């Protein structure tokens, strides 16, 4: 048997398609290339010599002669050959590791969301905020748009003496900030309001509110708001299922299209939430829930609702499907569940700054699920 034949069989071993006879033959001939005599080997000696022989083959040269090798020891090397030799050669660049029952590809262990987004101006121009330089990146009527050194977007109103030659339609033109899966961003509007945008979300707003009676914005996804107080100009957040009206307050809105509910959680001040049929006033520590065209109010732990903005996942008896969707958005991965977890709810806390392997392990600690990672796909295996 030639070395190329051994490599072909090792490829089969790695793919799980080799027969037991092929595995046995490959292991025997791999050692036979350097056999002088057949004394017994300790396990450490067997491991050492296997590595020497294997490295020689991979470098395309004749293996160094090894004096201590014993054919019956080949059987003891079975696990070593399959996991050590086969996987080492054919996955040198994408080595898979088995750690705490989570299989994770070291190169493709998904990283947390990046601080970037895409800005679409009123004239349709699109700006990648990851590529935009620090400083002034655009100007619109009565507004200058800056990217700060720490990666935020800031709209600053020009002085009242600034040129007003731009058309009124441009002055009132809408801007949109869009985050893809695996992205997040923060913007400060021209009125001083601050918005944190979660992954897979879009936020549409007027570049300036100077000539408007209302500060009306639109949200698809999730965002946390710290609204600047202005009693004369109510701030209104519109989603596909509701409107939230405030004068100045801190609150979170979750309105993803793939979720069954839209929630608004109030941390400070008061807000009025309206759906198609009714409206309700929220007080701090309360959350409105719109589901199946019904608006209801409940008391909640507000820290759980804004955990994403503070850098954490906090799950308190959370629906497993919702957890998977949150993880998928944040790490930009595809998660495949076998559908047997409809009634599963989990609790726990883990930092969103860690790679996905840490989050999956934290979920596995419950003992109710297991995960397997294949490239950009996460498969629920239990």
């Amino acid at each position: 048997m030639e070395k190329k034949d051994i490599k072909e069989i090792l490829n089969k071993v790695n793919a799980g398609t080799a027969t037991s006879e092929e595995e046995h033959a490959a292991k025997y001939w791999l050692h036979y290339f350097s056999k002088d005599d057949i004394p017994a080997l300790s396990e450490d000696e067997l491991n050492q010599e296997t590595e020497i022989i294997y490295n020689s083959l991979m470098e395309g040269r004749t293996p160094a002669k090894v004096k201590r090798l014993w054919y019956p020891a080949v059987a003891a090397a079975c696990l070593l050959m399959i996991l050590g030799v086969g996987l080492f050669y054919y996955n040198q660049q994408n080595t898979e590791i088995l750690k705490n029952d989570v299989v994770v590809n070291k190169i493709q262990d998904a990283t947390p969301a990046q601080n970037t987004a895409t800005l679409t101006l009123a004239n349709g121009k699109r700006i990648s905020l990851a590529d935009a330089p620090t400083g002034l990146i655009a100007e619109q009527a009565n507004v200058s748009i800056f990217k700060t050194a720490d990666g935020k977007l800031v709209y600053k109103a020009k002085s009242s003496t600034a040129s007003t030659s731009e058309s009124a339609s441009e002055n009132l033109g809408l801007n949109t900030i869009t985050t893809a899966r695996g992205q997040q961003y923060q913007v400060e509007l021209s009125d001083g309001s601050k918005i944190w945008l979660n992954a897979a979300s879009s936020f549409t707003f007027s570049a300036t509110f100077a000539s408007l009676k209302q500060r009306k914005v639109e949200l698809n996804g999730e965002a946390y708001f710290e609204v600047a107080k202005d009693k004369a100009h109510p701030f209104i957040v519109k989603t596909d299922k509701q409107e939230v009206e405030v004068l100045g307050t801190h609150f979170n809105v979750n309105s993803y299209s793939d979720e069954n509910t839209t929630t608004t959680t109030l941390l400070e001040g008061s807000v009025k939430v309206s759906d198609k049929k009714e409206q309700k006033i929220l007080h701090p520590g309360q959350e409105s829930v719109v589901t199946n065209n019904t608006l209801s109010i409940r008391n909640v732990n507000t820290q759980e609702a804004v955990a994403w903005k503070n850098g954490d996942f906090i799950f308190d008896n959370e629906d497993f499907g919702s957890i998977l969707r949150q993880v998928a958005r944040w790490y930009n991965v595809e998660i495949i569940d076998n559908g047997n977890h409809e009634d599963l709810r989990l609790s726990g806390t883990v930092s969103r700054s860690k790679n996905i392997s840490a989050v999956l392990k934290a979920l596995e600690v419950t003992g109710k699920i297991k995960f397997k990672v294949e490239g950009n796909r996460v498969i629920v295996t239990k």
Side-chain angles (χ1 to χ4, degrees), residues 279-343:
Q279 61 184 34
K280 295 182 181 292
I281 301 296
L282 285 183
H283 301 289
Q286 291 185 326
E287 180 176 81
S288 67
V289 181
V290 178
T291 180
N292 297 325
N293 296 318
T294 300
L295 173 61
S296 60
I297 304 294
R298 64 189 181 190
N299 295 323
V300 295
N301 176 1
T302 58
Q303 293 307 306
E304 180 183 351
V306 299
W308 69 269
K309 179 253 184 185
N310 297 327
D312 292 314
F313 288 108
I314 298 180
F315 305 125
D316 184 8
N317 197 35
E318 184 87 13
D319 172 70
F320 184 59
S322 175
I323 292 175
L324 295 185
R325 289 189 291 274
Q326 292 179 54
V327 173
R329 293 186 203 110
W330 187 246
Y331 292 100
N332 189 23
V333 297
E334 177 187 6
I335 300 183
I336 301 174
D337 190 8
N338 56 20
N340 295 329
H341 305 99
E342 293 182 0
D343 300 324

Side-chain angles (χ1 to χ4, degrees), residues 164-184:
T164 58
S165 59
E166 296 91 340
S167 68
S169 61
E170 183 181 359
N171 182 45
L172 302 179
L174 299 178
N175 287 196
T176 299
I177 297 178
T178 304
T179 56
R181 289 157 59 103
Q183 297 180 350
Q184 64 173 347

Side-chain angles (χ1 to χ4, degrees), residues 62-135:
T62 303
K65 295 290 184 177
V66 181
K67 292 185 177 181
R68 303 197 69 201
L69 191 63
W70 184 43
Y71 170 68
V74 172
C78 180
L79 184 59
L80 172 68
M81 295 298 299
I82 296 175
L83 296 180
V85 178
L87 288 178
F88 178 83
Y89 173 58
Y90 289 101
N91 296 295
Q92 290 181 66
Q93 302 303 318
N94 297 285
T95 306
E96 288 189 346
I97 59 172
L98 241 67
K99 182 178 180 181
N100 296 324
D101 297 324
V102 181
V103 181
V104 181
N105 186 291
K106 294 177 72 174
I107 292 179
Q108 297 180 346
D109 186 9
T111 56
Q114 302 299 304
N115 191 50
T116 186
T118 299
L119 171 64
T120 304
L121 300 175
N123 61 9
K125 180 181 179 181
R126 293 166 59 88
I127 300 174
S128 170
L129 297 176
D131 302 326
T134 299

Side-chain angles (χ1 to χ4, degrees), residues 28-41:
Y28 171 76
W29 286 104
L30 181 63
H31 287 272
Y32 181 84
F33 278 123
S34 57
K35 182 173 74 67
D36 267 348
D37 50 28
I38 53 171
L41 290 175

Side-chain angles (χ1 to χ4, degrees), residues 16-30:
T17 59
T19 66
S20 58
E21 290 80 12
E22 287 175 326
E23 292 178 9
H24 186 278
K27 289 189 285 288
Y28 171 76
W29 286 104
L30 181 63

